[in-house]
Amino acid sequence: MSTTSDARRQQIEAKRAKLAELRRGPSTPRRSGPAEVDDFVNSILRDSRGPSAGFDSGDLTPSSSLPGTPLLGHATLPHSLSIGNGSGRASRQSDIGSGISGTTFAGTSNAATDSVIYREMEPRFLPDLIDIEQELFELPKKERVTYNKEVQTMATETETSTPEEDDTHRRTLTEAELETLQAARDKELEEESVQLDKEIEEEIRDIPPEELAGILSAPELLEFVDSTTKMFYRALNGYDYTRDYRVGAETGSDESEGRVKRVCEFFDERYGKNRSITDVDWSSQYPELTVASYNKNPAALNEPDGIVAVWNLHLLEKPEFVFHSQSDVLSVTFSPFHSNLVFGGTYSGQILLWDNRSKHLPVLKTPLSASGHTHPVYAMQMVGTQNAHNLITTSTDGTVCSWLVDMLAQPQETLELIHAGHNKTGEVAITTLDFPDNEATTFWVGTEEGNVYQANRYDRAGAKAGLNQYDVYKGHSGPIMGTHFHPTSGSVDFSDLFLTSSVDWTVKLWRAKSLAKPSTTPHAISPLYSFDEADDPVYDVKWHPAHPALFGTVDGSGKFDLWNLNQDTEVPIVSTSVGSGRALNKLQWDKKDGRRAALGGSDGKLYVYDIGDMAIPRESEWTDLQKTISGIVGGGQTNGIVDGEAMKIIPGR
């Protein structure tokens, strides 16, 4: 503050010096009167006269050069050319000066002509000039005031101060007033400085522990840290870290070459510890996104029972999104028509809908009432088109429900699948569900008893809504864990073929009975072929979406097997041991080109494998598969009634 005080004192001293200078006022110059001006002009003219100039001391009139005038030694100038006295001004002074200096007048005696003036030029005399400083004053004109009868009052105008008036005002300020003003300014500066110090103290004050805990637990801060962490990890993996999966869909590409190889392994200690993966699915809009559902962690009582994690192939360290459930999530699927929505079926029977634009909790869920499911929901599938689609769900009590995705308060349709041939109860405990491609009415279900049934959502020609009581697909001796129909792609239609896997260590190939010829009497349908290579329960099976003869299986020993019916029907073409050898529960091919397979393990890890060029079919694959199926059917048995135990097609197997 000493520097500031010195500066203020210097400013006060400067103002005092200026005030003293203003009080002294400007120096008054010497003024010259009219008489002095006349004397000065006469002295100049007097010095400029010569001996033969033709002027005397009393008369400045030169000799006349007018015609008819006699040449005289002295002549008289006209009055108009005379120099006036007392006014200090000469008429045509420049002409007089030029005629006087250096000119001699002479006469001639020629009487016949006018007088002629002979001039003899002499050197011109230059007078010495000096500068004169004069101060002129103009008196203001007196204002003429006129009065009018109509004018009753005079308007007063506020005059703005001129610089001269400001000067005068400043001169009238005393030294005491200047000091008072300066003291007031110093006081204002001091108060402002104190106020700024207080504000700075408030800004840098220590935050109490309670308030700090509240700030660190704020949802906005947590969301910011989560989003920036994802961007950081994506950038480390060389991926577009700015992509936001909460906005519109966008396609991408991630190709890999070669045989079967592991792409990545997803696991988070926080979410996957002591949990098993119960289902997996790929996003239709974003090929790099896959979703996995998890069951309960018995050791964590304060954590949610069910977890759904969305994983990104370019974000390996943590899930892209995490959703919570109050019950174990047994089935999960992306909405093929809305990239933001994820559906899940729970152990309690509730159907949950999560939106990745919201938080962890579901945005919609079904009630726990008799109108919906009250038993575990192991299977669900979205059917229909973009403008008209339904979510079909099944539970182990034999109930099939159809839901509108934006209204989960109650199902749009409800079916009770009951079979009269069951001894103790008529209910069919459904474990798997699948619709053939381009079919939204008829579907097939796998059950805990090992049989496969065909059912209809609505009444149709020759068949009623509900379970088909006559056609029973018998072949497995244990609960069916996976069912999948052949995709309709290529030149030959194999959409009537489907595969099933079971805990009886087998995978079976079936041909669905034609809907145009419904059965009228009970009979069993046997499988076309049985694949018995596995040494553990086979928990899932899936046809490849692009290659007609290729399908994959996962089993309880942690093996991922690839089968190609055009190459070998007895053993898989590739068998891969995944992870630590624990059971693999689910398999799902990516929906883009089928190069990658997502495998869900009972150790809580999600594995992604790339099968490389094996996913690319040759043009002849469809006709080759047709020949293979014909050989299987012709070499063993045709699709029909099986008497007794299901027979295997190829002897010796």
Side-chain angles (χ1 to χ4, degrees), residues 389-403:
H389 51 271
N390 297 95
L391 180 67
I392 309 299
T393 59
T394 61
S395 58
T396 55
D397 62 349
T399 303
V400 179
C401 295
S402 174
W403 308 86

Side-chain angles (χ1 to χ4, degrees), residues 279-281 291 293 329-335 342-346 349-354 366 373 376-383 390-395 399-401 403 408 430-435 445 483 542 586 588:
D279 200 6
V280 294
D281 193 23
V291 64
S293 57
V329 183
L330 304 179
S331 56
V332 69
T333 181
F334 274 112
S335 172
V342 177
F343 293 91
T346 64
Q350 278 188 308
I351 307 300
L352 307 179
L353 169 61
W354 296 280
T366 61
H373 296 293
V377 178
Y378 281 100
M380 62 171 52
Q381 187 171 342
M382 187 80 69
V383 296
N390 297 95
L391 180 67
I392 309 299
T393 59
T394 61
S395 58
T399 303
V400 179
C401 295
W403 308 86
L408 299 182
I430 302 172
T431 55
T432 64
L433 162 77
D434 197 28
F435 283 80
V445 294
T483 303
K542 287 291 189 301
K586 286 295 178 179
Q588 189 64 259

Side-chain angles (χ1 to χ4, degrees), residues 408-428:
L408 299 182
Q410 61 181 5
Q412 189 181 25
E413 307 164 7
T414 302
L415 283 175
E416 294 288 341
L417 300 186
I418 300 175
H419 196 275
H422 289 187
N423 297 328
K424 297 181 179 181
T425 176
E427 295 178 354
V428 176

